[in-house]
Amino acid sequence: EIVMMQSPATLSVSPGERATLSCRASQSVSSNLAWYQQKPGQAPRLLIYGASTRATGIPVRFSGSGSGTEFTLTISSLQSEDFAVYYCQQYDVWPPRWTFGQGTKVEIK
Amino acid sequence: EVQLVESGGGLVQPGGSLRLSCAASGFTFSSFEMTWVRQAPGKGLEWVSYISSSGRTRYYADSVEGRFTISRDNAKNSLSLQMNSLRAEDTAVYYCARVTRGTLDYWGQGTLVPVSS
């Protein structure tokens, strides 16, 4: 099983500041990496797929980078609605044994 | 507008069974793979099961293999998850999600399944 590790567990950021979230895979997943945002009481929402492609309707302040085992999600200027938990997910393996990171909570500083 | 609406959750005793459903609308259901993902209270996301667009191919996480069965009815735009021999550790919110090239691009709102005596 590919283990996904996210850091930090919690990130305290002021509105308007940049947030950088990391995700590391236990083995290469190429660019088969997605990021999701989850707010309390809501379902996750797809933000980024293919490591760097924004999903439909996702603001340009969200960007993804990386390949292989190291990935980054950057939120360039945090808005109030961006405070949430973010998960990475690998989808490199077949048959599907898709795995998620444990999440990074972005909270207001 | 793509919509996925889960139903069927509720309190069940250990060893019991439950069937979850997911009603899909706003897209050509028969053209898309589907999946179930769960989230235990206060925890992260865990992939549970996958089904191909035709329904012929199915996969399960090791934690539910042999106890859960995924199925779909393309004529009714419906996805199901039959859960048997439920355990306390199966307690979670269960989400159905549409799959596009391995990513889960649309999710339902989830249905809670508490397993407790």
Side-chain angles (χ1 to χ4, degrees):
Chain A
E1 175 183 297
I2 299 177
V3 178
M4 307 301 293
M5 295 158 283
Q6 291 184 242
S7 62
T10 303
L11 187 61
S12 298
V13 185
S14 299
E17 289 188 340
R18 173 187 296 259
T20 302
L21 289 66
S22 296
C23 175
R24 174 179 292 181
S26 60
Q27 65 188 69
S28 176
V29 298
S30 186
S31 294
N32 297 312
L33 189 285
W35 290 94
Y36 301 86
Q37 176 194 67
Q38 187 179 33
K39 298 179 182 179
Q42 296 185 18
R45 176 176 71 144
L46 176 65
L47 296 177
I48 300 285
Y49 64 92
S52 60
T53 302
R54 278 186 301 277
T56 303
I58 301 303
V60 297
R61 63 180 181 274
F62 290 92
S63 63
S65 63
S67 66
T69 62
E70 300 283 345
F71 301 89
T72 300
L73 175 69
T74 301
I75 312 171
S76 59
S77 177
L78 271 159
Q79 307 297 303
S80 58
E81 62 266 30
D82 300 335
F83 293 97
V85 179
Y86 293 82
Y87 294 95
C88 61
Q89 175 231 343
Q90 66 78 18
Y91 52 97
D92 189 61
V93 294
W94 193 264
R97 290 289 183 267
W98 301 326
T99 48
F100 295 85
Q102 81 282 12
T104 290
K105 181 180 181 180
V106 178
E107 64 176 24
I108 301 174
K109 186 174 182 180
Chain B
E1 179 193 5
V2 172
Q3 283 199 322
L4 298 168
V5 180
E6 300 95 337
S7 60
L11 180 64
V12 60
Q13 292 188 338
S17 298
L18 207 60
R19 186 177 184 88
L20 306 182
S21 296
C22 173
S25 61
F27 65 102
T28 305
F29 181 71
S30 60
S31 296
F32 286 85
E33 304 155 288
M34 298 293 294
T35 196
W36 288 95
V37 173
R38 67 185 181 184
Q39 186 171 36
K43 302 297 184 182
L45 301 167
E46 179 189 15
W47 171 75
V48 172
S49 185
Y50 158 96
I51 189 166
S52 64
S53 56
S54 67
R56 284 193 288 265
T57 302
R58 313 174 191 197
Y59 295 108
Y60 301 92
D62 291 343
S63 57
V64 307
E65 179 84 56
R67 300 186 298 123
F68 289 12
T69 301
I70 191 171
S71 61
R72 66 190 295 161
D73 185 337
N74 285 343
K76 296 182 177 179
N77 292 342
S78 178
L79 175 73
S80 296
L81 185 69
Q82 176 67 41
M83 304 186 296
N84 298 330
S85 303
L86 283 160
R87 306 166 180 167
E89 54 265 36
D90 295 319
T91 293
V93 173
Y94 285 75
Y95 296 100
C96 66
R98 191 181 82 169
V99 180
T100 298
R101 292 183 299 273
T103 63
L104 285 58
D105 59 354
Y106 288 93
W107 298 60
Q109 84 288 350
T111 187
L112 177 63
V113 178
V115 182
S116 175
S117 53

